[in-house]
Amino acid sequence: MKSSGIKLTIQEKLKDLRTERKMTLAQLSEATGLSRAALGKYEADDLKDMSAYSVATLARFYGVSADYILGLTECR
């Protein structure tokens, strides 16, 4: 985890959540039903096409709030 005071970007949070579970993008895609290509884009830097459905799906899967994923809170 990064030191407190440094806010993670949405991309960093998504990657951290996935790597904490030791999952590949392909495994995450299989588990969530979201495409591997889309998940890769979300972690890379292309959030313009990230739908509310994707945010909700990932939040539910990881057991965190959508606000955490979107960077509105640091509280999972």
Side-chain angles (χ1 to χ4, degrees):
M1 211 70 212
K2 305 233 179 355
S3 65
S4 60
I6 298 176
K7 284 190 160 191
L8 296 177
T9 65
I10 294 170
Q11 295 88 343
E12 288 170 329
K13 286 180 180 182
L14 291 173
K15 187 164 189 170
D16 281 356
L17 287 166
R18 179 175 59 79
T19 57
E20 279 172 15
R21 292 182 180 228
K22 298 178 174 39
M23 296 181 84
T24 64
L25 286 169
Q27 291 168 326
L28 181 59
S29 173
E30 182 76 24
T32 61
L34 300 173
S35 81
R36 189 208 154 300
L39 292 166
K41 280 184 181 180
Y42 301 157
E43 287 185 16
D45 213 16
D46 188 5
L47 298 174
K48 67 181 181 295
D49 295 328
M50 191 170 189
S51 68
Y53 175 80
S54 294
V55 173
T57 299
L58 291 167
R60 198 168 29 250
F61 178 77
Y62 289 128
V64 299
S65 70
D67 283 354
Y68 174 76
I69 289 178
L70 295 173
L72 301 174
T73 180
E74 291 302 301
C75 179
R76 289 184 174 202

